[in-house]
Short mmCIF file of all heavy atoms in Angstrom, two decimals:
data_model
loop_
_atom_site.label_atom_id
_atom_site.label_comp_id
_atom_site.label_asym_id
_atom_site.label_seq_id
_atom_site.Cartn_x
_atom_site.Cartn_y
_atom_site.Cartn_z
N GLN A 213 -58.88 -19.08 1.96
CA GLN A 213 -57.79 -19.15 2.81
C GLN A 213 -56.41 -18.95 1.99
O GLN A 213 -56.29 -19.33 0.83
CB GLN A 213 -57.62 -20.52 3.46
CG GLN A 213 -58.72 -20.73 4.49
CD GLN A 213 -58.66 -22.27 5.12
OE1 GLN A 213 -57.87 -23.03 4.67
NE2 GLN A 213 -59.47 -22.36 6.17
N TRP A 232 -24.27 -18.41 -5.40
CA TRP A 232 -24.29 -17.03 -5.96
C TRP A 232 -22.89 -16.41 -5.81
O TRP A 232 -22.44 -15.85 -6.84
CB TRP A 232 -25.25 -16.18 -5.12
CG TRP A 232 -25.35 -14.70 -5.52
CD1 TRP A 232 -24.49 -13.72 -5.09
CD2 TRP A 232 -26.28 -14.16 -6.44
NE1 TRP A 232 -24.90 -12.52 -5.62
CE2 TRP A 232 -25.87 -12.76 -6.50
CE3 TRP A 232 -27.24 -14.60 -7.27
CZ2 TRP A 232 -26.63 -11.94 -7.31
CZ3 TRP A 232 -28.02 -13.67 -8.00
CH2 TRP A 232 -27.64 -12.36 -8.08
N SER A 336 -21.91 -2.55 -7.62
CA SER A 336 -21.47 -3.87 -7.17
C SER A 336 -22.06 -4.29 -5.83
O SER A 336 -22.54 -5.37 -5.64
CB SER A 336 -19.93 -3.91 -7.15
OG SER A 336 -19.50 -5.22 -6.83
N LEU A 339 -25.97 -4.94 -6.59
CA LEU A 339 -26.28 -6.04 -7.37
C LEU A 339 -25.78 -7.37 -6.84
O LEU A 339 -26.47 -8.46 -6.83
CB LEU A 339 -25.93 -5.89 -8.85
CG LEU A 339 -26.57 -4.73 -9.55
CD1 LEU A 339 -25.96 -4.50 -10.91
CD2 LEU A 339 -28.08 -4.84 -9.61
N LYS A 360 -31.65 -32.30 14.81
CA LYS A 360 -31.76 -32.46 13.33
C LYS A 360 -30.89 -31.41 12.61
O LYS A 360 -30.29 -31.69 11.60
CB LYS A 360 -33.25 -32.29 13.00
CG LYS A 360 -33.43 -32.64 11.46
CD LYS A 360 -34.93 -32.64 11.19
CE LYS A 360 -35.09 -32.96 9.62
NZ LYS A 360 -36.54 -32.96 9.29
N MET A 376 -15.52 -31.02 -2.85
CA MET A 376 -14.35 -30.28 -3.25
C MET A 376 -13.05 -31.16 -3.46
O MET A 376 -12.41 -30.94 -4.47
CB MET A 376 -14.01 -29.17 -2.18
CG MET A 376 -12.88 -28.26 -2.53
SD MET A 376 -12.28 -27.29 -1.04
CE MET A 376 -11.48 -28.55 -0.17
N VAL A 413 -3.86 -11.55 9.57
CA VAL A 413 -3.43 -10.26 10.16
C VAL A 413 -3.71 -10.19 11.66
O VAL A 413 -2.90 -9.70 12.53
CB VAL A 413 -4.13 -9.07 9.40
CG1 VAL A 413 -3.91 -7.75 10.15
CG2 VAL A 413 -3.70 -8.95 8.03
N ARG A 444 24.54 19.33 10.54
CA ARG A 444 23.94 18.84 9.29
C ARG A 444 22.46 18.93 9.36
O ARG A 444 21.83 18.60 10.35
CB ARG A 444 24.39 17.38 8.97
CG ARG A 444 25.98 17.19 8.89
CD ARG A 444 26.30 15.85 8.59
NE ARG A 444 27.78 15.72 8.52
CZ ARG A 444 28.40 14.70 7.99
NH1 ARG A 444 27.74 13.64 7.56
NH2 ARG A 444 29.80 14.68 8.00
N ARG A 481 18.91 4.59 -10.90
CA ARG A 481 17.83 4.11 -11.74
C ARG A 481 17.54 2.62 -11.44
O ARG A 481 16.50 2.13 -12.00
CB ARG A 481 18.43 4.24 -13.19
CG ARG A 481 18.87 5.60 -13.51
CD ARG A 481 19.27 5.58 -14.99
NE ARG A 481 19.82 6.96 -15.35
CZ ARG A 481 21.08 7.23 -15.49
NH1 ARG A 481 21.98 6.25 -15.22
NH2 ARG A 481 21.51 8.46 -15.82
N VAL A 483 16.56 0.74 -8.43
CA VAL A 483 16.24 0.75 -6.99
C VAL A 483 14.97 -0.17 -6.75
O VAL A 483 13.96 0.14 -7.37
CB VAL A 483 16.03 2.14 -6.35
CG1 VAL A 483 15.81 1.96 -4.85
CG2 VAL A 483 17.25 2.91 -6.63
N TYR A 506 13.97 -8.48 7.77
CA TYR A 506 12.85 -7.75 8.23
C TYR A 506 11.57 -8.66 8.17
O TYR A 506 10.77 -8.71 9.17
CB TYR A 506 12.53 -6.46 7.59
CG TYR A 506 11.37 -5.71 8.00
CD1 TYR A 506 11.40 -4.97 9.18
CD2 TYR A 506 10.14 -5.82 7.35
CE1 TYR A 506 10.25 -4.39 9.58
CE2 TYR A 506 8.99 -5.17 7.70
CZ TYR A 506 9.09 -4.42 8.89
OH TYR A 506 7.93 -3.81 9.29
N LEU A 507 11.38 -9.33 7.09
CA LEU A 507 10.20 -10.15 6.95
C LEU A 507 10.19 -11.32 7.86
O LEU A 507 9.14 -11.74 8.20
CB LEU A 507 10.20 -10.66 5.44
CG LEU A 507 9.87 -9.63 4.37
CD1 LEU A 507 9.97 -10.32 3.01
CD2 LEU A 507 8.62 -8.88 4.54
N VAL A 527 14.95 15.30 15.45
CA VAL A 527 14.20 14.56 14.41
C VAL A 527 12.76 15.07 14.33
O VAL A 527 12.17 15.27 15.42
CB VAL A 527 14.18 13.03 14.75
CG1 VAL A 527 13.40 12.20 13.66
CG2 VAL A 527 15.62 12.43 14.90
N ALA A 548 0.61 18.11 7.93
CA ALA A 548 0.65 19.35 7.19
C ALA A 548 -0.49 20.27 7.42
O ALA A 548 -0.38 21.53 7.22
CB ALA A 548 0.69 19.00 5.62
N THR A 549 -1.63 19.72 7.81
CA THR A 549 -2.84 20.58 8.18
C THR A 549 -2.61 21.34 9.42
O THR A 549 -3.40 22.24 9.70
CB THR A 549 -4.07 19.69 8.25
OG1 THR A 549 -3.84 18.63 9.13
CG2 THR A 549 -4.37 19.10 6.88
N LEU A 576 8.11 26.35 7.34
CA LEU A 576 9.05 25.36 7.75
C LEU A 576 10.16 25.89 8.74
O LEU A 576 10.74 25.15 9.51
CB LEU A 576 9.71 24.64 6.53
CG LEU A 576 10.26 23.30 6.62
CD1 LEU A 576 9.32 22.35 7.33
CD2 LEU A 576 10.75 22.73 5.31
N GLN A 581 12.90 25.84 14.06
CA GLN A 581 13.29 26.53 15.24
C GLN A 581 12.60 26.08 16.42
O GLN A 581 13.16 26.22 17.61
CB GLN A 581 12.97 28.08 15.11
CG GLN A 581 13.85 28.84 14.09
CD GLN A 581 15.31 28.69 14.38
OE1 GLN A 581 15.74 28.87 15.54
NE2 GLN A 581 16.19 28.38 13.47
N VAL A 648 7.66 20.26 -5.85
CA VAL A 648 7.80 20.24 -4.40
C VAL A 648 9.29 19.88 -3.98
O VAL A 648 9.84 20.56 -3.06
CB VAL A 648 6.90 19.19 -3.68
CG1 VAL A 648 7.14 19.00 -2.25
CG2 VAL A 648 5.40 19.55 -4.06
N VAL A 698 11.53 1.87 -7.93
CA VAL A 698 11.25 3.21 -7.43
C VAL A 698 12.37 4.12 -7.55
O VAL A 698 13.59 3.71 -7.78
CB VAL A 698 10.87 3.10 -5.93
CG1 VAL A 698 9.65 2.34 -5.71
CG2 VAL A 698 12.03 2.51 -5.04
N SER A 716 31.88 13.38 -5.36
CA SER A 716 30.61 13.44 -6.11
C SER A 716 30.77 12.67 -7.40
O SER A 716 29.88 12.07 -7.86
CB SER A 716 30.29 14.91 -6.38
OG SER A 716 30.05 15.67 -5.23
#
Side-chain angles (χ1 to χ4, degrees):
Q213 293 177 350
W232 177 275
S336 182
L339 298 176
K360 185 177 181 180
M376 184 193 71
V413 172
R444 302 184 179 193
R481 307 183 184 101
V483 184
Y506 176 80
L507 294 177
V527 181
T549 55
L576 202 51
Q581 291 301 315
V648 173
V698 295
S716 299

